[in-house]
């Protein structure tokens, strides 16, 4: 049994005033049994403040990290800095980063390695685009990108999460069928077990892409879906907690 993880990715949204949502999440979490992990990845400017406000039940993460721990990289942020600010997870290889900043899988792998060295759990994102799905290439793309993006794991690694985010489902309101999600998640599990052995069975595999309170229960019931990576619906505590609630049923 994999412990579920409900993770919010705020992307480039959120000023200090948005920290009010954290109070609401803290309050809601206190009422739910501790049966799933809960995480918010705010923009880097809010990581430290959010970590201070978050209760022990709410984890905080970054959305990106460099693969070096420090140095002459203007505008960048290291995994060590995120950990120092109170983060315990970091998203790497999100398709928006792969597209906007030309981040290739070899770089994603090195980011994940840097995250692990800093004691952070990397959330490695993979997902096909619309054309790749239409051409029947989804499985091949997912496996290839995973094999290039997954870091080696040492014995004391804090953990690893994979997020399946079909690019065409992000922010569009469209989602794959439950059978399609199930097929990809089963493939991801096979690749994780192949890469890491037994420990690969307990790594959470998240679904991301237009997950909302209205479709979360159905998606979370698919075998090998162990949680969600939620964009738009994570910005308001009420929606985010409605999704969390479905994960602990
Ligand atoms: P949406 O939930 O807004 O579709 O975003 C998904 C996502 O990209 C999470 O990382």
């Amino acid at each position: 049994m994999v412990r579920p993880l409900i993770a919010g990715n705020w992307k480039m949204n959120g000023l200090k005033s948005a920290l009010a949502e954290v109070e609401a999440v803290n309050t809601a979490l206190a009422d739910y049994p501790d049966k799933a992990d809960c995480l918010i990845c705010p923009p880097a400017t809010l990581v430290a403040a959010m970590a201070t406000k978050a209760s022990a039940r709410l984890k905080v993460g970054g959305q990106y990290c460099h693969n070096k721990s420090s140095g002459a990289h203007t505008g960048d942020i290291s995994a060590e800095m995120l950990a120092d600010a109170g983060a315990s997870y970091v998203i790497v290889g999100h398709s928006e980063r792969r597209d906007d900043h030309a981040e290739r899988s070899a770089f994603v792998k090195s980011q994940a390695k840097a995250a692990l060295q800093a004691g952070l759990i990397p959330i490695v994102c993979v997902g096909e685009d619309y054309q790749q799905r239409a051409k029947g290439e989804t499985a091949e793309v997912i496996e290839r990108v995973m094999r290039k993006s997954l870091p080696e794991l040492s014995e004391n690694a804090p953990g690893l999460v994979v997020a399946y985010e079909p690019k065409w489902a992000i922010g569009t309101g469209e989602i794959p069928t439950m059978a399609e999600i199930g097929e990809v998640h089963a493939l991801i599990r096979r690749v994780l077990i192949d890469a890491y052995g037994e420990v690969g069975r307990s790594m959470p595999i998240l679904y991301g892409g237009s997950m909302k309170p209205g479709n979360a229960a159905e998606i979370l019931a698919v075998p090998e879906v162990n949680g969600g990576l939620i964009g738009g619906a994570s910005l308001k505590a009420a929606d985010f907690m409605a999704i969390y609630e479905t994960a602990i049923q």
Side-chain angles (χ1 to χ4, degrees):
M1 172 76 186
V2 183
R3 185 173 159 88
L5 169 63
I6 297 299
N9 174 9
W10 280 14
K11 309 191 178 183
M12 197 172 72
N13 298 292
L15 302 177
K16 272 187 287 185
S17 56
L19 293 172
E21 298 304 315
V22 176
E23 314 271 1
V25 171
N26 285 340
T27 308
L29 283 176
D31 283 341
Y32 292 127
D34 189 7
K35 293 204 292 193
D37 289 324
C38 188
L39 164 72
I40 297 179
C41 301
T45 48
L46 294 182
V47 167
M50 189 177 283
T52 306
K53 274 196 188 298
S55 71
R57 291 275 300 276
L58 174 62
K59 307 291 178 227
V60 178
Q63 299 175 9
Y64 157 86
C65 67
H66 197 270
N67 63 359
K68 304 274 190 317
S69 55
S70 63
H73 301 284
T74 303
D76 256 312
I77 182 163
S78 73
E80 207 171 38
M81 290 167 179
L82 288 170
D84 188 48
S88 45
Y89 288 77
V90 62
I91 298 168
V92 295
H94 193 283
S95 60
E96 288 153 14
R97 299 283 324 175
R98 290 181 189 262
D99 288 353
D100 293 356
H101 300 275
E103 291 179 6
R104 311 302 303 240
S105 294
F107 180 66
V108 174
K109 178 176 178 171
S110 68
Q111 290 173 283
K113 186 173 164 204
L116 291 166
Q117 273 165 357
L120 300 181
I121 299 175
I123 301 177
V124 181
C125 302
V126 294
E128 81 286 359
D129 65 24
Y130 185 77
Q131 273 84 11
Q132 289 164 333
R133 173 155 292 274
K135 284 196 259 166
E137 295 171 358
T138 300
E140 186 218 312
V141 168
I142 300 299
E143 179 157 2
R144 175 164 37 85
V145 175
M146 273 185 81
R147 295 212 185 263
K148 286 187 182 170
S149 305
L150 291 177
E152 284 92 42
L153 278 192
S154 64
E155 252 173 47
N156 54 359
L160 185 122
V161 176
V162 172
Y164 169 51
E165 298 209 311
K167 276 175 73 171
W168 52 274
I170 295 176
T172 60
E174 283 181 57
I175 56 169
T177 65
M178 297 308 119
E180 287 167 341
I181 293 175
E183 271 172 35
V184 175
H185 279 243
L187 166 68
I188 291 174
R189 180 66 69 207
R190 284 198 297 277
V191 176
L192 284 175
I193 293 168
D194 188 47
Y196 300 123
E198 276 307 298
V199 68
R201 292 187 195 279
S202 58
M203 292 171 172
I205 306 173
L206 312 183
Y207 170 80
S210 297
M211 195 188 247
K212 311 272 179 231
N215 61 23
E218 193 185 12
I219 297 172
L220 292 170
V222 174
E224 303 292 6
V225 174
N226 313 119
L229 184 55
I230 300 129
S234 72
L235 296 172
K236 288 280 163 249
D239 289 342
F240 189 49
M241 286 296 100
I243 296 173
Y244 183 86
E245 197 175 340
T246 60
I248 56 171
Q249 298 306 316

